[in-house]
């Protein structure tokens, strides 16, 4: 049985620069690859100008920032014109840069870590994916769904 990160990590993954627009990230996720497990990629690894890993932007990050800011203050929004608010929120979202929405301080994995160690880290912290890094650059990614597929298929 394959038991190390290097044995199951996905080496073909999408990246985006931190200074790209969120609109580009939206399109890349919409057209994401379907992996062997049948799962579709819903995240992009974010790189800086010298191709170093700086974060991840996910479908959830984008959807979170699509919501109008007033919802962050506990206002119900029951008496709001949602069509108008949606158009404004969408326009504002698409104009932002990836760096403004991406998740940072991401915990990575190394190729020689045992899969059970990675599984433990992911489950305890509710991570859905871990970038595999070497010298600060992404060389792969491990998805929780791929670990599940590997163990049970």
């Amino acid at each position: 049985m394959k038991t190390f990160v290097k044995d199951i990590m996905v080496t073909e993954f999408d990246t985006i620069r931190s200074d790209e627009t969120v609109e580009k990230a939206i399109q890349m996720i919409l057209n994401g690859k379907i992996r062997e497990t049948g799962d579709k990629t819903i995240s992009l690894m974010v790189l800086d100008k010298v191709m170093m890993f700086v974060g991840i932007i996910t479908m959830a990050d984008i959807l979170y920032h699509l919501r109008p800011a007033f919802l962050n203050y506990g206002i119900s929004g029951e008496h709001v014109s949602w069509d108008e608010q949606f158009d404004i929120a969408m326009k504002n979202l698409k104009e932002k840069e990836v760096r403004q929405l991406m998740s940072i301080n991401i915990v990575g994995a190394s190729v020689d870590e045992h899969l059970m160690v990675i599984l433990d880290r992911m489950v305890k912290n509710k991570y859905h994916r871990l970038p595999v890094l070497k010298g600060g650059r992404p060389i792969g990614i491990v998805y929780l769904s791929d670990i599940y597929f590997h163990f049970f298929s």
Side-chain angles (χ1 to χ4, degrees):
M1 175 192 272
K2 298 176 185 177
T3 55
F4 296 95
V5 168
K6 64 184 169 194
D7 298 318
I8 72 155
M9 71 181 190
V10 175
T11 56
E12 291 185 27
F13 50 87
D14 292 321
T15 64
I16 190 167
R17 291 248 318 256
S18 62
D19 58 356
E20 292 283 359
T21 64
V22 171
E23 184 168 18
K24 181 172 181 180
I26 290 168
Q27 291 306 313
M28 290 178 71
I29 290 173
L30 277 175
N31 298 304
K33 298 176 180 114
I34 298 176
R35 298 189 311 280
E36 178 185 344
T37 60
D39 294 308
K40 183 176 178 184
T41 300
I42 58 170
S43 63
L44 307 168
M45 285 206 246
V46 183
L47 308 177
D48 64 12
K49 292 178 182 178
V50 293
M51 307 310 279
M52 297 296 280
F53 175 80
V54 292
I56 291 179
I57 187 165
T58 68
M59 178 180 65
D61 294 327
I62 293 168
L63 289 172
Y64 178 83
H65 287 88
L66 174 62
R67 301 173 311 107
F70 65 80
L71 292 177
N72 292 332
Y73 303 107
I75 299 170
S76 69
E78 291 176 16
H79 305 290
V80 174
S81 168
W82 283 111
D83 291 339
E84 182 179 321
Q85 288 296 319
F86 179 80
D87 292 341
I88 292 167
M90 182 63 79
K91 180 182 180 303
N92 291 337
L93 176 73
K94 287 181 175 182
E95 292 173 350
K96 291 183 179 185
E97 290 186 351
V98 168
R99 75 175 93 241
Q100 295 175 277
L101 276 62
M102 70 184 191
S103 299
I104 57 173
N105 301 324
I106 305 294
V107 175
S110 68
V111 292
D112 294 322
E113 285 188 88
H114 196 279
L115 209 48
M116 289 305 286
V117 173
I118 296 303
L119 174 62
D120 180 62
R121 185 180 308 152
M122 293 176 81
V123 170
K124 282 182 181 174
N125 294 293
K126 299 182 180 175
Y127 298 148
H128 296 269
R129 67 199 58 79
L130 279 181
V132 182
L133 305 172
K134 185 174 183 178
R137 288 195 159 88
I139 60 169
I141 190 164
V142 174
Y143 294 97
L144 190 60
S145 57
D146 290 349
I147 293 174
Y148 185 90
F149 182 82
H150 174 75
F151 285 151
F152 297 112
S153 64

